[in-house]
Amino acid sequence: MKKKEIKKLSKDEIVKNIDKLKKDLFNFRFQKMNSQVTNPAKIGETRKTIARLKTTLKGKANA
């Protein structure tokens, strides 16, 4: 998810996306343990996206 896309989202949408991505990350961890992960770079990308969303959410809360 790009920064431009994230800035357009509302607070509720950001929270929903964070929850969804956390579930995806949880599943990626199990796939990694079972050697079933097809794209290991997706794990890091998901973690960074969660961090971007949280940063944007905190910025909107302070504004």
Side-chain angles (χ1 to χ4, degrees), residues 1-15:
M1 202 172 234
K2 303 278 184 178
K3 289 181 185 179
K4 291 179 183 178
E5 295 172 357
I6 293 172
K7 286 184 179 181
K8 293 179 184 176
L9 298 175
S10 68
K11 289 181 184 180
D12 293 333
E13 292 172 333
I14 291 174
V15 172

Side-chain angles (χ1 to χ4, degrees), residues 32-59:
K32 186 177 179 182
M33 286 174 48
N34 294 328
S35 301
Q36 296 175 344
V37 69
T38 55
N39 188 0
K42 191 77 171 162
I43 297 170
E45 182 182 325
T46 304
R47 290 178 64 207
K48 289 178 183 178
T49 304
I50 291 170
R52 283 188 198 109
L53 287 167
K54 284 184 173 183
T55 302
T56 305
L57 184 64
K58 186 162 185 127

